[in-house]
């Protein structure tokens, strides 16, 4: 009897100690509210917590992108055309304005700058797979806070290289590689937290709006770096590093990872569709296609059965009755989810294009026009402005049509000729350059944003998982990790191709865009067939 009573007590402990898991800032706010005005405050607790989650995850990932953007701006002053500047002395060498070790020939310096990008991006891609594995097994508040703090430290580390006159290339490569590892904590963490709080309804629109943090972060990173780049480029890294570190501490104080952590029952939406739609889908699979699309459909018959009292301790576990259902899946299990492989490979090429623009666009504008480093960086932010619009448009269209693959295919089809037109017309004038940058950013970043947010969230809660709530971080890490390999390859190839002509860089981007389109044609075909039968 004593053993049975003890077991029942142990099983109840997670429910009784809920306040112990609350962030310190939330505890302080609760305490102040109960002491100052216990009977006067009446508000919807769930709305307040959801709003705080959206705000905190938004500024968190915004700061991740803000801290990785300065390198693309600073490239323009690490190696530049010194003949256009006034030398400090008559006998100054031709490369007097360059920063060693980037003071060699144009081809050698471009290669070194490409290696800096590759150090960050390849370490980011490799660590992303492990990051998703870890994220499912730790408290995401600690995970994100520590990652943001480390990202700030390594950004600061790169900046002080100039302050202390460090001219060893390996110092900068190591700083970039460590920053890449730290940055992998961001995406699996914020997407999982958002999915914990928001159901399937209007997910494309919500994530499309929320995903603007990527472009806002790029814009802020460009503006901050451009402000210091021609006076003291060390501050272009140090200031973003300090900001992300402070925001990481704010996340530690206030982020609530799950609704159940504050006693709120998570919204359980049923994704069952009307019976006549299900019959139509079955008919479409049997009559109009060679492959049964019932397993390919993303989120079809999805059931979100998340435990109300599931807890998120640092390496904790829930009750015994939840262990079998919510056991974290491995990589092999995640790859078996229909659609994961196709969207992962598509994101490889989509991020190759997007990140090549991210890291090389300011330098291209500087090289193809008469603009200086600061103005080139400011102009490149229009690409991210277009990306914000593209993410929202892709999310809304995907919500209304329930065809994410087809939405991506259409945007890929339009972005390929748009990049060709931009490369030809960008030299015609500032107005044309600005307009084309917005359009290219809209079409390039739309599919990228849709796949990394709404599509990843739906695949991570696919009906084949039978309600397992611990698959999302792994699925997100696989998709984004595969895309990050492309993000590493693109800037590396651009570094070599740019020395032989910028037209080769754009040829590579257009070809990658068309390959991404081809990878999604099969899924898009099934979505169109299902859409037609649903209308009939």
């Amino acid at each position: 009897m004593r053993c049975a009573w003890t077991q029942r007590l142990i099983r109840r402990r997670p429910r009784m100690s809920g306040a112990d898991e609350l962030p310190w800032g939330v505890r302080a706010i609760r305490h102040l509210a109960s002491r100052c005005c216990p009977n006067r405050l009446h508000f919807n607790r769930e709305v307040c917590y959801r709003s705080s989650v959206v705000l905190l995850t938004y500024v968190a990932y915004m700061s991740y992108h803000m801290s990785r953007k300065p390198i693309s701006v600073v490239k323009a002053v690490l190696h530049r055309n010194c003949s256009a500047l006034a030398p400090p002395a008559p006998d100054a060498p031709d490369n007097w304005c360059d920063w060693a070790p980037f003071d060699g020939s144009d081809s050698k310096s471009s290669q070194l700058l490409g290696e800096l990008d590759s150090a960050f991006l390849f370490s980011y891609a490799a660590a992303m797979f492990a990051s998703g594995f870890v994220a499912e097994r730790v408290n995401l508040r600690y995970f994100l806070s520590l990652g943001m703090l480390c990202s700030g430290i390594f950004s600061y580390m790169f900046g002080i290289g100039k302050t202390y006159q460090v001219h060893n290339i390996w110092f900068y490569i190591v700083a970039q590689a460590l920053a890449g590892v730290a940055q992998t904590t961001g995406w699996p963490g914020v997407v999982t937290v958002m999915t914990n709080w928001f159901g399937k309804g209007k997910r494309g629109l919500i994530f499309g709006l929320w995903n603007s943090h990527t472009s806002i972060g790029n814009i802020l990173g460009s503006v901050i770096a451009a402000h210091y780049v021609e006076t003291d480029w060390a501050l272009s890294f140090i200031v973003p590093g300090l900001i992300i570190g402070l925001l990481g501490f704010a996340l530690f104080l206030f982020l609530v990872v799950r609704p159940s952590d504050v006693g709120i029952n998570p919204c359980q939406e049923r994704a069952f569709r009307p019976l006549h739609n299900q019959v139509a889908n079955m008919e479409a699979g049997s009559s109009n296609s060679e492959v049964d699309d019932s397993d390919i459909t993303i989120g079809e018959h999805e059931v979100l059965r998340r435990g109300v009292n599931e807890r998120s301790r640092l390496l904790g576990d829930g009750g015994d009755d939840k262990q079998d259902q919510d056991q974290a899946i491995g990589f092999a299990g995640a790859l078996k989810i229909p659609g994961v492989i196709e969207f992962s490979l598509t994101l490889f090429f989509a991020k190759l294009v997007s990140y090549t623009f991210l890291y090389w666009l300011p330098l291209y504008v500087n090289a193809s026009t008469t603009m200086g480093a600061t103005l080139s960086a400011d102009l490149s932010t229009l690409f991210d402005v277009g990306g914000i619009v593209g993410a929202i448009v892709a999310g809304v269209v995907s919500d209304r049509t329930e065809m994410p693959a087809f939405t991506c295919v259409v945007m890929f089809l339009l972005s390929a000729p748009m990049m060709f037109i931009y490369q030809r017309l960008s030299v015609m004038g500032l107005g044309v350059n600005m307009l084309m940058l917005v359009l290219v950013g809209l079409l390039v970043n739309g599919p990228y944003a849709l796949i990394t947010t709404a599509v990843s969230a739906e695949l991570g809660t696919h009906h084949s998982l039978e309600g397992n709530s611990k698959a999302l971080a792994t699925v997100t890490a696989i998709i984004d990790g595969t895309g990050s390999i492309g993000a590493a390859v693109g800037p590396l190839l651009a570094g070599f191709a740019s020395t032989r002509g910028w037209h080769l860089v754009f040829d590579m981007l257009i070809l990658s865009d068309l390959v991404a389109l081809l990878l999604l044609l099969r899924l898009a075909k099934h979505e169109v067939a299902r859409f037609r039968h649903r209308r009939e």
Side-chain angles (χ1 to χ4, degrees):
M1 290 294 294
R2 183 179 181 87
C3 293
W5 179 84
T6 304
Q7 290 177 357
R8 286 197 298 270
L9 181 62
I10 292 174
R11 286 190 178 185
R12 289 184 178 181
R13 280 184 62 188
R15 299 183 183 182
M16 296 172 63
S17 59
D20 295 338
E21 291 295 318
L22 284 178
W24 293 351
V26 174
R27 290 193 219 176
I29 292 175
R30 281 186 169 186
H31 179 72
L32 289 174
S34 63
R35 291 290 299 272
C36 298
C37 39
N39 299 321
R40 295 182 183 179
L41 286 180
H42 301 284
F43 51 84
N44 190 319
R45 291 174 59 242
E46 184 173 356
V47 171
C48 291
Y49 282 119
R50 283 193 177 197
S51 301
S52 70
V53 167
V54 171
L55 177 62
L56 289 171
T57 55
Y58 188 96
V59 298
Y61 206 68
M62 177 196 72
S63 65
Y64 274 104
H65 264 262
M66 177 191 63
S67 65
R68 72 176 70 166
K69 182 64 176 178
I71 184 64
S72 65
V73 177
V74 173
K75 282 178 182 177
V77 297
L78 293 179
H79 179 77
R80 52 183 168 175
N81 183 10
C82 299
S83 61
L85 303 174
D91 57 345
D94 294 338
N95 60 350
W96 65 268
C97 65
D98 295 338
W99 179 265
F102 307 102
D103 56 349
S105 62
D106 290 345
S107 59
K108 179 64 175 178
S109 298
S110 296
Q111 180 181 345
L112 291 178
L113 292 173
E115 288 175 0
L116 285 183
D117 296 337
S118 300
F120 176 91
L121 294 168
F122 276 111
S123 64
Y124 180 92
M128 177 59 76
F129 296 99
S131 181
F133 180 84
V134 174
E136 289 181 351
R137 292 159 174 82
V138 302
N139 187 312
L140 292 176
R141 180 165 60 92
Y142 301 150
F143 186 68
L144 287 167
S145 302
L146 183 61
M148 294 173 72
L149 178 62
C150 291
S151 296
I153 291 173
F154 298 133
S155 178
Y156 180 84
M157 174 180 170
F158 195 103
I160 62 174
K162 179 181 186 299
T163 305
Y164 290 98
Q165 299 292 312
V166 178
H167 297 285
N168 190 322
I169 183 62
W170 285 105
F171 173 85
Y172 299 102
I173 289 178
V174 170
Q176 283 288 86
L178 293 175
V181 174
Q183 290 266 332
T184 60
T185 58
W187 194 241
V190 295
V191 171
T192 302
V193 172
M194 280 289 291
T195 308
N196 287 343
W197 280 91
F198 293 91
K200 188 177 185 296
K202 299 291 184 183
R203 182 178 281 172
L205 175 60
I206 292 172
F207 276 111
L209 292 168
W210 175 77
N211 193 67
S212 63
H213 53 44
T214 299
S215 298
I216 295 296
N218 290 338
I219 292 171
L220 287 177
S222 297
V223 171
I224 293 173
H227 182 73
Y228 298 107
V229 65
E230 295 187 4
T231 54
D232 184 3
W233 62 258
L235 294 175
S236 297
F237 293 91
I238 293 174
V239 173
L242 293 175
I243 293 174
I244 189 175
L246 292 174
L247 290 176
F249 182 66
L251 210 73
F252 173 78
L253 291 179
F254 296 105
L255 181 64
V256 179
V257 175
R258 285 188 174 87
S260 57
D261 291 344
V262 288
I264 296 175
N265 292 340
C267 178
Q268 298 188 17
E269 294 189 50
R270 293 187 179 271
F272 289 107
R273 303 204 179 145
L275 182 59
H276 63 85
N277 284 349
Q278 299 182 26
V279 174
N281 291 343
M282 295 174 63
E283 290 175 353
S286 59
S287 61
N288 289 346
S289 63
E290 299 176 358
V291 182
D292 180 13
D293 67 337
S294 60
D295 286 334
I296 297 174
T297 305
I298 300 173
E300 194 74 18
H301 316 310
E302 179 183 359
V303 181
L304 302 178
R305 296 176 294 198
R306 298 174 182 260
V308 173
N309 293 305
E310 181 187 357
R311 303 193 46 83
S312 178
R313 296 184 174 184
L314 181 57
L315 284 172
D317 49 78
D320 295 339
D321 56 339
K322 290 287 293 177
Q323 286 182 352
D324 294 336
Q325 181 180 353
D326 281 348
Q327 184 178 3
I329 67 171
F331 291 110
L335 290 174
K336 293 178 182 177
I337 300 173
V340 168
I341 294 178
E342 287 93 336
F343 278 106
S344 297
L345 294 176
T346 300
L347 191 63
F348 174 94
F349 293 98
K351 288 192 76 169
L352 184 153
V353 176
S354 180
Y355 269 67
T356 302
F357 274 102
L358 175 69
Y359 280 90
W360 287 92
L361 182 58
L363 190 60
Y364 168 73
V365 174
N366 180 256
S368 61
T369 66
T370 58
M371 301 179 191
T374 300
L375 188 56
S376 298
D378 291 338
L379 182 64
S380 69
T381 60
L382 293 176
F383 177 82
D384 295 297
V385 172
I388 296 174
V389 180
I392 297 172
V393 170
V396 171
V397 173
S398 177
D399 274 343
R400 291 182 177 272
T401 62
E402 298 181 1
M403 296 192 297
F406 182 76
T407 302
C408 292
V409 165
V410 172
M411 298 188 84
F412 284 137
L413 186 62
L414 295 175
S415 63
M418 193 60 66
M419 285 188 285
F420 176 80
I421 295 172
Y422 170 71
Q423 197 262 332
R424 299 292 181 181
L425 301 183
S426 61
V427 297
M428 294 183 61
L430 180 61
V432 175
N433 205 328
M434 294 172 65
L435 176 62
M436 296 302 300
L437 270 179
V438 174
L439 293 176
V440 172
L442 186 154
L443 295 171
V444 167
N445 285 334
Y448 160 44
L450 183 62
I451 294 172
T452 54
T453 53
V455 170
S456 296
E458 292 205 14
L459 290 174
T461 53
H462 193 266
H463 68 90
S464 63
L465 298 171
E466 299 181 348
N468 189 337
S469 63
K470 285 194 172 183
L472 181 59
T474 296
V475 171
T476 302
I478 289 175
I479 294 176
D480 197 54
T482 306
S484 298
I485 298 175
V489 172
L492 177 64
L493 295 179
F496 291 104
S498 62
T499 61
R500 295 169 176 82
W502 284 101
H503 67 281
L504 294 178
V505 176
F506 280 91
D507 291 343
M508 175 190 72
L509 299 181
I510 294 171
L511 179 61
S512 300
D513 195 81
L514 295 176
V515 173
L517 184 154
L518 294 175
L519 287 169
L520 284 184
L521 280 181
R522 187 172 73 96
L523 293 181
K525 171 188 173 184
H526 289 291
E527 289 180 350
V528 171
R530 190 173 66 250
F531 180 78
R532 287 177 177 175
H533 280 266
R534 194 162 60 237
R535 288 177 63 90
E536 293 173 0

